[in-house]
Amino acid sequence: MKRRIIFLSLYDSDYSRTAVKYAWLKKDGRSVHFEKVGRGLLKGFRDLILVERKYSKDSIYVVMSPAHILTIFARIILGRKILLDAGWPLSDSTSLNLKKNGLNVLLKILKTNLIDYLAFKLAAFVWFESSAQKQRCCRKFRLNSKKTGIGFTGFVENRVALQRSNSNL
């Protein structure tokens, strides 16, 4: 029996860089499943407990970008190796706005850095967007480079073709 690959996200299955991997594996006939986890602590815990009951112990779990925080809770509840398709740290998006918003942004930077750190440390493997991103994150978060890789962002071609046929170009 093939191992199931379960994609976890706070967003829909077609949202994020990981959607390309999910669509490709599904099209390739792999045993892939998508689980949208509810936002909020209680909903998130409940949904992950239901996921744990639904799938076998040998399933592979992939947390989709930008739902890094799910890595932390999935590791606690599922107790298995969790793969994270991060792309980039969440903290990158907040650090760019430091000069504009002062203290509120500083607190957000601290929060996103903590989420990044815990998610990257608890994941069994983390994909980044580029080798430069991988090197920077390994250095910044003190990650073992053997548990990180590069996974470029792509797009689902048939979605583009469908959108093009529906538009009045």
Side-chain angles (χ1 to χ4, degrees), residues 7 14 34 60-61 66 69 75 78 80 100 109 141:
F7 286 82
D14 62 351
F34 173 78
I60 299 167
Y61 292 92
I69 196 164
R75 182 69 191 272
L78 302 172
R80 295 181 187 84
K100 295 180 184 176
I109 289 171
F141 298 103

Side-chain angles (χ1 to χ4, degrees), residues 97-110:
N97 296 321
L98 182 58
K99 292 180 182 175
K100 295 180 184 176
N101 299 317
L103 184 60
N104 288 339
V105 172
L106 182 60
L107 293 174
K108 191 170 185 179
I109 289 171
L110 292 172

Side-chain angles (χ1 to χ4, degrees), residues 113-128:
N113 271 289
L114 179 61
I115 291 169
D116 287 337
Y117 178 80
L118 291 173
F120 296 160
K121 288 292 189 178
L122 292 174
F125 194 84
V126 183
W127 284 282
F128 292 104

Side-chain angles (χ1 to χ4, degrees), residues 12 35-36 58 64 71 75 89 107 112 123-124 131 154:
D12 292 329
E35 295 290 338
K36 185 174 181 180
D58 64 341
M64 299 172 76
T71 307
R75 182 69 191 272
L107 293 174
T112 56
S131 57

Side-chain angles (χ1 to χ4, degrees), residues 27-85:
K27 185 178 178 182
D28 194 44
R30 305 288 177 97
S31 181
V32 295
H33 304 273
F34 173 78
E35 295 290 338
K36 185 174 181 180
V37 178
R39 292 175 180 246
L41 194 60
L42 294 178
K43 282 183 181 179
F45 270 104
R46 181 202 64 208
D47 290 350
L48 286 171
I49 289 168
L50 293 174
V51 165
E52 199 269 336
R53 291 178 183 165
K54 185 175 180 179
Y55 298 105
S56 65
K57 299 259 186 232
D58 64 341
S59 296
I60 299 167
Y61 292 92
V62 179
V63 173
M64 299 172 76
S65 176
H68 299 46
I69 196 164
L70 280 182
T71 307
I72 301 164
F73 297 110
R75 182 69 191 272
I76 292 167
I77 293 169
L78 302 172
R80 295 181 187 84
K81 291 182 177 178
I82 307 296
L83 310 177
L84 172 60
D85 186 22

